[in-house]
């Protein structure tokens, strides 16, 4: 008899607890989904290109940058880098009938314009055979060569060229040898 009484007391207590629980907000099962950026990452920590403005907010575009036109050849970051174009190319047409770049950069006209003739690779087809004229696969110059603008870089860049890396490695080795 006593066992039954204590059992029903327990049941009552449990019922009361359950009733109290019903008034509390339901437990949060999963955290709210983060805003998703253009590349599927949380919008807040990607996208220097969008200046870290969330994808749901419209960006006011920056003023257009002007093309650098210094006529000074720039250093290449590695031997096979297509050199950047150091002059403006506005209005230079490259199509089926004419190639404005080759007016100055062809072997037989470069001297007249004091331009750098395109290198021999531009006359080679994919089987390394030399053609008389610029190879079709090197015909559309701005596929590989680009002008530079005065725009501020939107994302950081830690590129170091091979000479810098070799110098650091040799300095480190020399340091070890002295120890
Ligand atoms: C009116 C002549 C002329 C035309 C047209 C021209 N260039 Fe140039 N280019 C030059 C001269 C001259 C230089 C040497 C640097 C300077 O004076 O700007 C040069 C330099 C370059 C360089 C740098 C090469 C290096 O080794 O650093 C590249 C790349 C280049 N031009 C690409 C082009 C492309 C691509 C076009 C067409 C969209 C073009 N150029 C049209 C005259 C011309
Ligand atoms: C498929 C990519 C590609 C295309 C297209 C291309 N180039 Fe290049 N260009 C390169 C690379 C890579 C180099 C550097 C290595 C070399 O010379 O092949 C270069 C080098 C050059 C140089 C420097 C040559 C030297 O001796 O220093 C000039 C000038 C040049 N290109 C102009 C042009 C012009 C003008 C066109 C269009 C007719 C053109 N390129 C099309 C990739 C390209």
């Amino acid at each position: 008899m006593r066992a039954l009484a204590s059992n029903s007391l327990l049941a009552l207590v449990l019922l009361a607890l359950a009733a109290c629980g019903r008034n509390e907000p339901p437990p949060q099962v999963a955290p709210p989904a983060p805003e998703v950026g253009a590349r599927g990452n949380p919008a807040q920590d990607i996208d220097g290109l969008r200046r870290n403005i969330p994808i749901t907010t419209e960006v006011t575009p920056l003023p257009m940058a002007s093309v650098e036109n210094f006529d000074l050849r720039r250093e290449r970051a590695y031997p096979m880098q297509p050199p950047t174009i150091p002059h403006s190319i506005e209005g230079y047409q490259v199509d089926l009938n004419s190639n404005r770049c080759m007016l100055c950069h062809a072997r037989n006209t470069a001297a007249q314009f004091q331009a750098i003739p395109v290198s021999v690779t531009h006359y080679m087809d994919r089987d390394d055979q030399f053609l008389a004229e610029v190879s079709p696969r090197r015909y559309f110059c701005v596929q590989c060569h680009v002008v530079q603008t005065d725009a501020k870089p939107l994302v950081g860049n830690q590129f170091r060229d091979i000479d810098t890396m070799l110098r650091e490695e040799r300095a480190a080795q020399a340091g070890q040898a002295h120890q």
Side-chain angles (χ1 to χ4, degrees), residues 43-71:
Q44 48 275 24
D45 52 44
I46 55 158
D47 254 348
L49 291 178
R50 283 183 61 84
R51 287 172 274 139
N52 292 320
I53 297 164
I55 195 79
T56 44
T57 311
E58 197 162 333
V59 188
T60 316
L62 293 173
M64 276 172 72
S66 46
V67 168
E68 287 182 357
N69 195 20
F70 297 141
D71 288 335

Side-chain angles (χ1 to χ4, degrees), residues 70-74 76 83-87 89 92 94 99-105 113-116 141-142 145:
F70 297 141
D71 288 335
L72 286 174
R73 297 171 72 183
R74 299 189 189 87
R76 301 183 200 181
T84 55
I85 307 174
H87 55 72
I89 58 165
Y92 288 180
V94 177
N99 187 322
R100 183 59 182 253
C101 311
M102 288 305 276
L103 170 72
C104 301
H105 286 285
F113 291 97
Q114 286 298 290
I116 304 103
C141 318
V142 292
H145 298 280

Side-chain angles (χ1 to χ4, degrees), residues 73 76 79-83 99 101-102 105 116-122 134 137-145:
R73 297 171 72 183
R76 301 183 200 181
M80 276 307 286
Q81 183 212 304
N99 187 322
C101 311
M102 288 305 276
H105 286 285
I116 304 103
V118 295
S119 57
V120 67
T121 54
H122 296 60
V134 69
R137 63 189 190 142
R138 292 276 165 119
Y139 189 82
F140 293 103
C141 318
V142 292
Q143 211 179 308
C144 305
H145 298 280

Side-chain angles (χ1 to χ4, degrees), residues 5 16 24 47 63 74 80 122 127 146 148 159 166:
E24 279 165 15
D47 254 348
R74 299 189 189 87
M80 276 307 286
H122 296 60
D127 300 317
V146 287
Q148 302 291 290
F159 178 85
L166 286 175

Side-chain angles (χ1 to χ4, degrees), residues 162-176:
I162 189 68
D163 296 310
T164 312
M165 289 175 68
L166 286 175
R167 211 179 310 123
E168 284 171 5
E169 199 178 280
R170 281 172 196 149
Q173 275 168 3
Q176 271 172 4

Side-chain angles (χ1 to χ4, degrees), residues 102 106-108 118 120 122-125 129-136:
M102 288 305 276
R107 177 195 58 79
N108 57 349
V118 295
V120 67
H122 296 60
Y123 293 94
M124 286 156 78
D125 69 10
Q129 297 298 304
F130 296 99
L131 310 172
E133 290 188 303
V134 69
S135 170

